């Protein structure tokens, strides 16, 4: 079922996340998890702590997807701002 989100826009992913679609969150993670981890690692300087930051950022997206406003920027920039 995750394949149904591979061609979806980031905005569509966030809408689906708001409808508790786990595969949409998985696709958002696939697209942006590496960038979030890279920034977290640079900021905190520790791999284990960076992994916790990534988990928290995506958990926030899962719990409060309505905080993402596509008019204010991309999903990646939103997630990186949350990471920082």
């Amino acid at each position: 079922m995750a394949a149904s989100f591979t061609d979806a826009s980031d905005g569509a992913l966030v809408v689906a996340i708001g409808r508790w679609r786990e595969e949409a969150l998985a696709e958002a993670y696939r697209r942006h998890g590496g960038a979030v981890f890279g920034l977290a690692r640079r900021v905190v300087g520790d791999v284990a702590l960076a992994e916790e930051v990534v988990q928290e950022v995506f958990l926030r997206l899962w719990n409060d997807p309505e905080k993402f406003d596509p008019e204010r920027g991309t999903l990646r920039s939103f997630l990186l701002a949350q990471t920082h």
Side-chain angles (χ1 to χ4, degrees):
M1 189 105 181
S4 64
F5 288 105
T6 57
D7 294 329
S9 69
D10 282 346
L13 288 179
V14 174
V15 169
I17 290 166
R19 295 177 180 156
W20 305 106
R21 299 289 304 269
E22 292 178 18
E23 57 273 18
L25 182 66
E27 179 62 20
Y29 178 82
R30 187 192 67 74
R31 290 181 191 179
H32 306 296
V36 171
F37 176 75
L39 177 58
R41 186 156 187 252
R42 283 192 299 277
V43 170
V44 300
D46 178 77
V47 171
L49 191 54
E51 290 170 347
E52 289 183 34
V53 170
V54 172
Q55 183 176 357
E56 180 64 28
V57 167
F58 282 93
L59 185 61
R60 285 183 186 180
L61 178 62
W62 178 253
N63 288 326
D64 296 311
E66 65 279 355
K67 288 187 176 178
F68 169 65
D69 181 359
E71 306 242 337
R72 294 186 67 199
T74 65
L75 180 57
R76 181 172 293 227
S77 65
F78 171 79
L79 294 171
L80 292 175
Q82 295 292 310
T83 303
H84 204 267

